[in-house]
Amino acid sequence: MAAEGANWYVVHTYSGYENKVKANIEKTIENRKLQDQIFEVTVPMQDVIEIKNGQRKQVQKKQFPGYVLINMIMNDSTWYVVRNTRGVTGFVGPGSKPVPLSEEEMKPLISSGERIVVSFEVGDLVTAIAGVWEGTVGKVVAVNEGKQTVTINVDMFGRETPVDISFMDIKKSN
């Protein structure tokens, strides 16, 4: 895929300019015949499941908004071309020194799993639509993106008891 001496670098861009930066760098590679020095420009995307009103919808979102990954051989001319592309604010690294990503850092970027994004937050009323709590209505007291669960308080034996329920098993109450 890439030649000897090529590494992946992270470039910071203005928010929302990731695809424009990618297109501009690719055009410059073509115009200046840099195919042998800059090999790939990518905006990492990931499949995200959004749940709104109980409806699941799969969408693609930028994995790292404001960043573009570039597989290139770092030298004065490639640095200059990338650094002076409209929308680029700089390479990621200490001071002005770009730091390449390691293989370990690149692995999760190449194979990323899907995530669920929900449209409810702490304080919202939700209804369990599946599982042992099906039909239960509760107020969200916590949202755990990592575990993909919400915590609601349920009245059990006259006491409020916190219960974790999967994003997949709830919908926002009206």
mmCIF file of all heavy atoms in Angstrom, residues 107-132:
data_model
loop_
_atom_site.group_PDB
_atom_site.id
_atom_site.type_symbol
_atom_site.label_atom_id
_atom_site.label_comp_id
_atom_site.label_asym_id
_atom_site.label_seq_id
_atom_site.Cartn_x
_atom_site.Cartn_y
_atom_site.Cartn_z
ATOM 1 N N LYS A 107 -4.576 0.543 14.217
ATOM 2 C CA LYS A 107 -5.464 -0.625 14.201
ATOM 3 C C LYS A 107 -6.927 -0.286 14.444
ATOM 4 O O LYS A 107 -7.779 -0.654 13.646
ATOM 5 C CB LYS A 107 -4.985 -1.677 15.199
ATOM 6 C CG LYS A 107 -4.031 -2.671 14.596
ATOM 7 C CD LYS A 107 -3.635 -3.733 15.600
ATOM 8 C CE LYS A 107 -2.375 -4.433 15.105
ATOM 9 N NZ LYS A 107 -1.673 -5.118 16.154
ATOM 10 N N PRO A 108 -7.269 0.422 15.528
ATOM 11 C CA PRO A 108 -8.693 0.708 15.756
ATOM 12 C C PRO A 108 -9.294 1.643 14.703
ATOM 13 O O PRO A 108 -10.505 1.657 14.512
ATOM 14 C CB PRO A 108 -8.721 1.350 17.144
ATOM 15 C CG PRO A 108 -7.329 1.823 17.395
ATOM 16 C CD PRO A 108 -6.427 0.925 16.594
ATOM 17 N N LEU A 109 -8.460 2.398 14.022
ATOM 18 C CA LEU A 109 -8.967 3.326 13.005
ATOM 19 C C LEU A 109 -9.369 2.576 11.741
ATOM 20 O O LEU A 109 -10.239 3.009 11.002
ATOM 21 C CB LEU A 109 -7.918 4.385 12.660
ATOM 22 C CG LEU A 109 -7.387 5.190 13.840
ATOM 23 C CD1 LEU A 109 -6.380 6.207 13.366
ATOM 24 C CD2 LEU A 109 -8.524 5.860 14.582
ATOM 25 N N ILE A 110 -8.711 1.453 11.513
ATOM 26 C CA ILE A 110 -8.999 0.669 10.324
ATOM 27 C C ILE A 110 -10.217 -0.212 10.543
ATOM 28 O O ILE A 110 -11.060 -0.357 9.672
ATOM 29 C CB ILE A 110 -7.758 -0.176 9.928
ATOM 30 C CG1 ILE A 110 -6.623 0.765 9.522
ATOM 31 C CG2 ILE A 110 -8.086 -1.137 8.807
ATOM 32 C CD1 ILE A 110 -5.269 0.129 9.462
ATOM 33 N N SER A 111 -10.370 -0.785 11.739
ATOM 34 C CA SER A 111 -11.529 -1.643 12.017
ATOM 35 C C SER A 111 -12.286 -1.113 13.218
ATOM 36 O O SER A 111 -11.988 -1.465 14.338
ATOM 37 C CB SER A 111 -11.064 -3.075 12.296
ATOM 38 O OG SER A 111 -10.233 -3.088 13.424
ATOM 39 N N SER A 112 -13.230 -0.221 12.974
ATOM 40 C CA SER A 112 -13.995 0.339 14.087
ATOM 41 C C SER A 112 -15.397 -0.265 14.117
ATOM 42 O O SER A 112 -16.017 -0.465 13.085
ATOM 43 C CB SER A 112 -14.082 1.860 13.957
ATOM 44 O OG SER A 112 -14.704 2.203 12.755
ATOM 45 N N GLY A 113 -15.860 -0.555 15.306
ATOM 46 C CA GLY A 113 -17.186 -1.140 15.476
ATOM 47 C C GLY A 113 -18.267 -0.086 15.396
ATOM 48 O O GLY A 113 -17.996 1.101 15.303
ATOM 49 N N GLU A 114 -19.531 -0.534 15.457
ATOM 50 C CA GLU A 114 -20.608 0.449 15.399
ATOM 51 C C GLU A 114 -20.986 0.888 16.794
ATOM 52 O O GLU A 114 -20.800 0.185 17.766
ATOM 53 C CB GLU A 114 -21.809 -0.090 14.615
ATOM 54 C CG GLU A 114 -22.667 -1.063 15.321
ATOM 55 C CD GLU A 114 -23.851 -1.488 14.471
ATOM 56 O OE1 GLU A 114 -23.862 -1.300 13.250
ATOM 57 O OE2 GLU A 114 -24.784 -2.012 15.068
ATOM 58 N N ARG A 115 -21.482 2.082 16.874
ATOM 59 C CA ARG A 115 -21.847 2.717 18.121
ATOM 60 C C ARG A 115 -23.291 3.139 18.045
ATOM 61 O O ARG A 115 -23.803 3.387 16.966
ATOM 62 C CB ARG A 115 -20.991 3.979 18.262
ATOM 63 C CG ARG A 115 -20.320 4.159 19.554
ATOM 64 C CD ARG A 115 -19.446 5.386 19.489
ATOM 65 N NE ARG A 115 -20.104 6.439 18.751
ATOM 66 C CZ ARG A 115 -20.065 7.717 19.082
ATOM 67 N NH1 ARG A 115 -19.414 8.108 20.097
ATOM 68 N NH2 ARG A 115 -20.678 8.615 18.359
ATOM 69 N N ILE A 116 -23.932 3.271 19.181
ATOM 70 C CA ILE A 116 -25.320 3.735 19.195
ATOM 71 C C ILE A 116 -25.344 5.126 19.811
ATOM 72 O O ILE A 116 -24.774 5.349 20.873
ATOM 73 C CB ILE A 116 -26.227 2.769 19.992
ATOM 74 C CG1 ILE A 116 -26.239 1.403 19.320
ATOM 75 C CG2 ILE A 116 -27.632 3.324 20.121
ATOM 76 C CD1 ILE A 116 -27.030 0.353 20.042
ATOM 77 N N VAL A 117 -25.992 6.052 19.117
ATOM 78 C CA VAL A 117 -26.151 7.411 19.618
ATOM 79 C C VAL A 117 -27.632 7.598 19.893
ATOM 80 O O VAL A 117 -28.467 7.241 19.066
ATOM 81 C CB VAL A 117 -25.678 8.451 18.573
ATOM 82 C CG1 VAL A 117 -25.974 9.855 19.044
ATOM 83 C CG2 VAL A 117 -24.199 8.276 18.308
ATOM 84 N N VAL A 118 -27.947 8.140 21.049
ATOM 85 C CA VAL A 118 -29.347 8.264 21.431
ATOM 86 C C VAL A 118 -29.767 9.726 21.511
ATOM 87 O O VAL A 118 -28.931 10.601 21.669
ATOM 88 C CB VAL A 118 -29.613 7.563 22.780
ATOM 89 C CG1 VAL A 118 -29.532 6.057 22.633
ATOM 90 C CG2 VAL A 118 -28.660 8.024 23.845
ATOM 91 N N SER A 119 -31.083 9.936 21.412
ATOM 92 C CA SER A 119 -31.592 11.309 21.418
ATOM 93 C C SER A 119 -32.169 11.691 22.773
ATOM 94 O O SER A 119 -32.915 12.640 22.872
ATOM 95 C CB SER A 119 -32.657 11.466 20.325
ATOM 96 O OG SER A 119 -33.736 10.591 20.594
ATOM 97 N N PHE A 120 -31.859 10.940 23.825
ATOM 98 C CA PHE A 120 -32.358 11.317 25.143
ATOM 99 C C PHE A 120 -31.194 11.596 26.080
ATOM 100 O O PHE A 120 -30.069 11.212 25.827
ATOM 101 C CB PHE A 120 -33.291 10.256 25.738
ATOM 102 C CG PHE A 120 -32.858 8.844 25.503
ATOM 103 C CD1 PHE A 120 -31.848 8.279 26.240
ATOM 104 C CD2 PHE A 120 -33.466 8.094 24.522
ATOM 105 C CE1 PHE A 120 -31.446 6.979 26.019
ATOM 106 C CE2 PHE A 120 -33.067 6.788 24.290
ATOM 107 C CZ PHE A 120 -32.061 6.230 25.031
ATOM 108 N N GLU A 121 -31.525 12.291 27.155
ATOM 109 C CA GLU A 121 -30.493 12.693 28.107
ATOM 110 C C GLU A 121 -31.050 12.644 29.514
ATOM 111 O O GLU A 121 -32.238 12.359 29.717
ATOM 112 C CB GLU A 121 -29.982 14.091 27.761
ATOM 113 C CG GLU A 121 -31.076 15.111 27.622
ATOM 114 C CD GLU A 121 -30.626 16.367 26.895
ATOM 115 O OE1 GLU A 121 -29.825 16.266 25.944
ATOM 116 O OE2 GLU A 121 -31.076 17.447 27.287
ATOM 117 N N VAL A 122 -30.205 12.930 30.497
ATOM 118 C CA VAL A 122 -30.607 12.914 31.902
ATOM 119 C C VAL A 122 -31.823 13.826 32.090
ATOM 120 O O VAL A 122 -31.845 14.950 31.592
ATOM 121 C CB VAL A 122 -29.435 13.364 32.805
ATOM 122 C CG1 VAL A 122 -29.884 13.521 34.238
ATOM 123 C CG2 VAL A 122 -28.292 12.362 32.706
ATOM 124 N N GLY A 123 -32.836 13.302 32.771
ATOM 125 C CA GLY A 123 -34.058 14.070 33.031
ATOM 126 C C GLY A 123 -35.211 13.687 32.119
ATOM 127 O O GLY A 123 -36.375 13.957 32.434
ATOM 128 N N ASP A 124 -34.926 13.051 30.969
ATOM 129 C CA ASP A 124 -35.983 12.643 30.036
ATOM 130 C C ASP A 124 -36.726 11.426 30.576
ATOM 131 O O ASP A 124 -36.147 10.581 31.265
ATOM 132 C CB ASP A 124 -35.404 12.279 28.665
ATOM 133 C CG ASP A 124 -34.938 13.494 27.884
ATOM 134 O OD1 ASP A 124 -35.270 14.625 28.280
ATOM 135 O OD2 ASP A 124 -34.239 13.304 26.868
ATOM 136 N N LEU A 125 -38.010 11.338 30.232
ATOM 137 C CA LEU A 125 -38.795 10.151 30.560
ATOM 138 C C LEU A 125 -38.649 9.149 29.430
ATOM 139 O O LEU A 125 -38.768 9.516 28.258
ATOM 140 C CB LEU A 125 -40.277 10.507 30.717
ATOM 141 C CG LEU A 125 -40.720 11.051 32.076
ATOM 142 C CD1 LEU A 125 -42.216 11.329 32.064
ATOM 143 C CD2 LEU A 125 -40.375 10.095 33.204
ATOM 144 N N VAL A 126 -38.375 7.879 29.779
ATOM 145 C CA VAL A 126 -38.244 6.823 28.784
ATOM 146 C C VAL A 126 -39.122 5.643 29.186
ATOM 147 O O VAL A 126 -39.471 5.478 30.351
ATOM 148 C CB VAL A 126 -36.775 6.355 28.617
ATOM 149 C CG1 VAL A 126 -35.907 7.459 28.055
ATOM 150 C CG2 VAL A 126 -36.206 5.829 29.921
ATOM 151 N N THR A 127 -39.463 4.834 28.179
ATOM 152 C CA THR A 127 -40.242 3.624 28.404
ATOM 153 C C THR A 127 -39.435 2.430 27.919
ATOM 154 O O THR A 127 -38.891 2.467 26.817
ATOM 155 C CB THR A 127 -41.572 3.680 27.602
ATOM 156 O OG1 THR A 127 -42.271 4.870 27.963
ATOM 157 C CG2 THR A 127 -42.443 2.464 27.896
ATOM 158 N N ALA A 128 -39.368 1.388 28.758
ATOM 159 C CA ALA A 128 -38.698 0.159 28.342
ATOM 160 C C ALA A 128 -39.602 -0.549 27.343
ATOM 161 O O ALA A 128 -40.794 -0.721 27.579
ATOM 162 C CB ALA A 128 -38.426 -0.731 29.548
ATOM 163 N N ILE A 129 -39.042 -0.915 26.180
ATOM 164 C CA ILE A 129 -39.844 -1.556 25.121
ATOM 165 C C ILE A 129 -39.507 -3.032 24.969
ATOM 166 O O ILE A 129 -40.080 -3.719 24.141
ATOM 167 C CB ILE A 129 -39.667 -0.821 23.769
ATOM 168 C CG1 ILE A 129 -38.191 -0.742 23.367
ATOM 169 C CG2 ILE A 129 -40.290 0.573 23.827
ATOM 170 C CD1 ILE A 129 -37.935 -0.203 21.979
ATOM 171 N N ALA A 130 -38.559 -3.525 25.791
ATOM 172 C CA ALA A 130 -38.184 -4.947 25.732
ATOM 173 C C ALA A 130 -37.517 -5.320 27.049
ATOM 174 O O ALA A 130 -37.214 -4.458 27.871
ATOM 175 C CB ALA A 130 -37.237 -5.197 24.565
ATOM 176 N N GLY A 131 -37.302 -6.602 27.242
ATOM 177 C CA GLY A 131 -36.615 -7.079 28.436
ATOM 178 C C GLY A 131 -37.541 -7.182 29.633
ATOM 179 O O GLY A 131 -38.750 -6.994 29.524
ATOM 180 N N VAL A 132 -36.941 -7.455 30.796
ATOM 181 C CA VAL A 132 -37.740 -7.671 32.007
ATOM 182 C C VAL A 132 -38.476 -6.418 32.473
ATOM 183 O O VAL A 132 -39.463 -6.515 33.188
ATOM 184 C CB VAL A 132 -36.880 -8.225 33.176
ATOM 185 C CG1 VAL A 132 -36.365 -9.608 32.862
ATOM 186 C CG2 VAL A 132 -35.748 -7.294 33.509
#
